């Protein structure tokens, strides 16, 4: 089937996609509020005109604008057409597509993993397609369209996609903006080759689409946890180096003792990191209970939990008489951290 593409949006990615469509001989039209930036031969003067001319509508716009655009577009479409988004996150756009178009108009979420810079470098073109059970044929049509553009297509759920992007795209943006904010690379007369990846990250942050950083960080449901884990790892690394330096500066204890102390410090650092993770989970549990109107406290849950911890302690050869005190402290610490009621969620 030969698709006729309607592009909603002519920003950096919209222009890049338009170029690929033209190279592949795929007819397409463009609608954008800044119509004067669209070549006249591609212009669709109105959304109605674009919808009437297209078999597939591509939402090449900020994720935050998609719901309103879909609401307007919905009245102009028929079940023979289909809609795709090309956002860098997938959970929230797919939710918008499902809530507005539902079963009536075919839709599918996609994420082309390329842009103007990577196309200019000649990098491999990859695209993620997120099939849905309401419109399996839409995923097949989207796959065929991107394969015509020379893309290698991978299918993933929106959740799996965003979890993967949190460990890659999110952290790349986070590191890049952190380097810019720290002034890394400014005013240096020269740099060793090992600095080149850092310089590229900094350049990436300075030249990216302005709104993309906030979208990637705020719309991806896994971004916060990924950032927190990275910061914890960097803190552990920093503190480990500090401890090593301190041991070198004060070598008064026997080397074997210094080694044991350093390992104890590392274990304690891991304990603190685990406590921080536990506090975040307690916060999540408290939020879920609040959303569902579940009551506090849960004495039965707490008593059962302490029994289990005693059994674990006994199995690992720890003194069980003190384990209750340890976990009462853990509970209190987590509550104090998340400022929640005085019982375990």
């Amino acid at each position: 089937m030969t698709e006729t593409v309607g592009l909603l949006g002519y920003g950096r990615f919209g222009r890049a996609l338009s170029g690929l469509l033209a190279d592949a001989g795929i007819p397409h039209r463009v609608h954008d509020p800044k119509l004067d930036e669209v070549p006249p031969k591609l212009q669709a003067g109105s959304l109605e005109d674009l919808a009437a001319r297209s078999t597939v509508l591509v939402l090449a716009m900020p994720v935050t604008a998609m719901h309103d655009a879909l609401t307007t577009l919905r009245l102009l479409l028929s079940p023979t057409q289909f809609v795709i988004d090309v956002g860098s996150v997938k959970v929230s756009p797919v939710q918008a597509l499902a809530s507005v178009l539902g079963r009536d108009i075919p839709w599918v979420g996609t994420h082309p993993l390329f842009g103007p810079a990577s196309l200019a470098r000649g990098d491999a073109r990859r695209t993620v397609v997120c099939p849905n059970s309401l419109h399996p044929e839409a995923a097949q049509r989207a796959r065929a369209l991107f394969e015509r553009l020379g893309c290698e297509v991978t299918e993933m759920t929106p959740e799996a996609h965003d979890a993967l992007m949190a460990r890659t795209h999110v952290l790349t943006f986070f590191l890049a903006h952190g380097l810019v904010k720290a002034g890394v690379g400014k005013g240096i007369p020269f740099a060793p080759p090992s600095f080149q990846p850092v310089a590229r990250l900094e350049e990436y942050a300075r030249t990216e689409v302005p709104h993309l950083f906030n979208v990637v960080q705020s719309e991806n449901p896994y971004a916060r946890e990924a950032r927190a884990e990275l910061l914890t790892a960097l803190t552990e690394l920093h503190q480990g180096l500090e401890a090593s330096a301190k041991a070198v500066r004060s070598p008064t204890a026997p080397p074997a003792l210094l080694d044991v102390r350093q390992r104890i410090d590392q274990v304690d650092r891991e304990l603190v990191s685990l406590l921080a993770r536990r506090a975040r989970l307690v916060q999540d549990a408290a939020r879920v209970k609040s959303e569902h109107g579940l009551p506090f406290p849960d004495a039965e849950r707490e008593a059962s939990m302490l029994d289990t911890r005693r059994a674990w302690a006994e199995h690992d050869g720890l003194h069980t008489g003190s384990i209750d005190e340890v976990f009462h402290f853990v509970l209190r610490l987590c509550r104090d951290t998340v400022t929640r009621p005085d019982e375990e969620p």
Side-chain angles (χ1 to χ4, degrees):
M1 176 181 182
T2 301
E3 305 285 7
T4 301
V5 177
L7 276 176
L8 277 75
Y10 202 64
R12 290 178 63 187
F13 181 79
R15 289 193 292 272
L17 184 57
S18 175
L20 291 181
L21 291 167
D23 292 343
I26 299 175
H28 65 286
R29 291 288 185 273
V30 179
H31 178 68
D32 190 284
K34 299 177 180 178
L35 203 58
D36 57 335
E37 297 183 5
V38 181
K41 65 179 182 179
L42 297 178
Q43 290 181 8
S46 66
L47 202 55
E48 292 80 1
D49 181 38
L50 188 75
R53 290 170 175 260
S54 307
T55 61
V56 51
L57 281 298
V58 179
L59 305 181
M61 60 180 61
V63 170
T64 52
M66 286 183 187
H67 191 279
D68 289 345
L70 284 167
T71 301
T72 302
L73 189 63
R74 168 67 184 85
L75 302 175
L76 308 175
L77 300 178
S78 73
T80 62
Q81 299 168 293
F82 78 107
V83 178
I84 67 176
D85 88 283
V86 291
S88 298
V89 295
K90 289 274 68 74
V91 170
S92 59
V94 164
Q95 289 173 345
L97 287 161
S99 66
V100 177
L101 303 183
R103 295 179 178 274
D104 299 328
I105 305 297
W107 54 268
V108 64
T110 76
H111 179 197
L113 300 170
F114 56 83
S118 63
L119 291 174
R121 292 193 301 267
D123 295 349
R125 300 171 194 171
R126 294 184 174 86
T127 297
V128 174
V129 172
C130 301
N132 67 84
S133 59
L134 296 179
H135 304 288
E137 75 287 351
Q140 297 169 8
R141 290 173 69 179
R143 170 185 281 274
L145 176 63
F146 281 109
E147 286 178 345
R148 282 194 64 187
L149 299 181
C151 295
E152 176 186 332
V153 177
T154 301
E155 294 188 356
M156 302 179 76
T157 66
E159 293 77 14
H161 169 276
D162 284 3
L164 176 61
M165 289 299 105
R167 302 197 306 273
T168 54
H169 206 192
V170 165
L171 295 186
T172 298
F173 273 77
F174 189 53
L175 285 170
H177 279 259
L179 292 170
V180 170
K181 199 171 185 66
V184 173
K186 291 181 65 176
I188 57 175
F190 62 89
S194 59
F195 184 75
Q196 293 308 308
V198 175
R200 285 196 293 272
L201 270 179
E202 186 194 31
E203 181 184 7
Y204 182 51
R206 293 184 186 279
T207 59
E208 72 187 20
V209 178
H211 75 272
L212 194 54
F213 175 72
N214 288 331
V215 168
V216 167
Q217 301 298 329
S218 63
E219 296 293 332
N220 189 318
Y222 305 97
R224 180 180 178 275
E225 182 178 358
R227 293 194 306 268
E229 289 178 355
L230 174 62
L231 290 173
T232 296
L234 290 173
T235 300
E236 290 176 359
L237 181 62
H238 171 69
Q239 293 183 344
L241 292 171
E242 288 290 292
S244 297
K246 185 176 180 180
V248 170
R249 291 193 299 268
S250 306
T252 55
L257 179 57
L258 291 173
D259 178 64
V260 172
R261 286 175 175 172
Q262 185 172 346
R263 284 183 285 160
I264 289 173
D265 288 342
Q266 179 61 29
V267 170
D268 286 349
R269 176 62 252 179
E270 293 172 6
L271 283 173
V272 172
S273 177
L274 288 171
L275 288 170
R277 286 179 57 192
R278 191 186 192 283
R280 289 195 294 270
L281 290 171
V282 169
Q283 187 176 35
D284 291 343
R287 182 169 56 250
V288 170
K289 297 193 81 171
S290 176
E291 290 172 354
H292 291 271
L294 297 175
F296 292 104
D298 190 342
E300 183 178 348
R301 155 70 178 163
E302 186 168 324
S304 172
M305 188 196 70
L306 291 174
D307 287 342
T308 303
R309 275 55 172 176
R310 286 190 214 101
W312 292 346
E314 184 175 4
H315 178 271
D316 288 340
L318 293 175
H319 186 263
T320 58
S322 302
I323 203 69
D324 281 1
E325 294 180 21
V326 170
F327 275 93
H328 279 303
F329 167 77
V330 170
L331 296 179
R332 186 171 66 253
L333 175 65
C334 291
R335 294 176 196 131
D336 290 345
T337 301
V338 301
T339 62
R340 283 294 181 183
D342 289 337
E343 285 75 27
E344 180 77 354

